[in-house]
């Protein structure tokens, strides 16, 4: 399947711009956890599809995407304004409303409770967190009201 966005950088910059616009603090760990959760929740809502062409690995403090991590550790600023399909934009808007203002510790708790994270962590640091493993959490997504979930009534689904 083709990812919904062209890069993880686009999603990262979108999240950073949204946080800045709402004056919500964004640390590197918080950005990591938001990116991971966005990928996971998109996969749950969209039959295993990827939101972004990113590969998350088990890190010491939670999941990380190595390329994005290097970019943000180097302090690279946003050189462009991200542009998304209506589907990706609607998903990110709903995702941000639900998770964006949560403190980093709450996001961390969500990540370490994720079955896909736990499964990958068993293989040790550097292990890939398979996006397909998020599909196993689909039943929980219906109960939690994740935006774009196939279990929601059509009127509540993003375009």
């Amino acid at each position: 399947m083709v990812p919904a966005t062209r890069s993880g950088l686009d999603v990262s910059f979108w999240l950073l711009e949204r946080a800045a616009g709402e004056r919500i603090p964004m640390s590197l760990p918080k950005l990591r956890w938001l990116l991971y959760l966005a990928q996971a929740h998109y996969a749950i809502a969209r039959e295993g599809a990827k939101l972004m062409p990113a590969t998350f690995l088990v890190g010491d403090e939670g999941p990380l995407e190595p390329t994005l991590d290097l970019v943000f550790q180097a302090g690279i600023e946003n050189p462009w304004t991200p542009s998304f399909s209506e589907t990706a934009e609607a998903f990110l808007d709903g995702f941000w409303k639900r998770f964006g203002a949560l403190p980093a510790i709450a996001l961390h708790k969500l990540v370490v409770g994720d079955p896909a994270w736990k499964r990958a962590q068993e293989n040790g640091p550097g292990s890939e967190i398979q996006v397909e493993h998020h599909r196993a959490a689909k039943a929980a997504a219906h109960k939690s009201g994740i935006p774009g979930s196939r279990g929601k009534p059509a009127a509540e689904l993003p375009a």
Side-chain angles (χ1 to χ4, degrees):
M1 273 188 235
V2 175
T5 63
R6 68 181 185 164
S7 77
L9 285 172
D10 284 329
V11 176
S12 298
F13 292 144
W14 188 94
L15 291 168
L16 290 166
E17 285 178 6
R18 184 61 67 99
E22 295 180 21
R23 298 178 191 240
I24 294 173
M26 182 70 76
S27 64
L28 181 56
K30 182 173 179 173
L31 179 60
R32 286 177 183 146
W33 298 324
L34 283 170
L35 288 166
Y36 173 77
L37 289 168
Q39 183 86 309
H41 286 248
Y42 192 86
I44 292 166
R46 302 281 180 203
E47 304 296 325
K50 283 185 166 188
L51 173 63
M52 59 195 127
T55 301
F56 289 88
L57 304 178
V58 173
D60 292 335
E61 298 176 14
L64 58 92
E65 205 294 333
T67 304
L68 297 175
D69 224 51
L70 287 171
V71 166
F72 291 110
Q73 285 179 20
I76 295 175
E77 298 288 326
N78 184 356
W80 65 83
T81 300
S83 176
F84 300 119
S85 68
E86 287 182 31
T87 300
E89 185 80 32
F91 172 81
L92 284 169
D93 280 335
F95 177 82
W96 180 257
K97 286 175 187 166
R98 183 175 176 124
F99 297 101
L102 291 178
I105 191 68
L107 295 171
H108 185 253
K109 286 179 181 179
L110 289 172
V111 168
V112 298
D114 178 46
W117 162 254
K118 289 178 181 178
R119 188 171 176 181
Q121 194 178 31
E122 291 171 2
N123 296 322
S127 300
E128 183 175 348
I129 304 164
Q130 300 288 324
V131 75
E132 297 84 24
H133 294 165
H134 295 299
R135 293 181 75 191
K138 189 171 185 166
H142 295 303
K143 294 176 188 169
S144 68
I146 295 168
S149 172
R150 298 276 189 226
K152 302 284 280 176
E156 296 179 35
L157 287 174

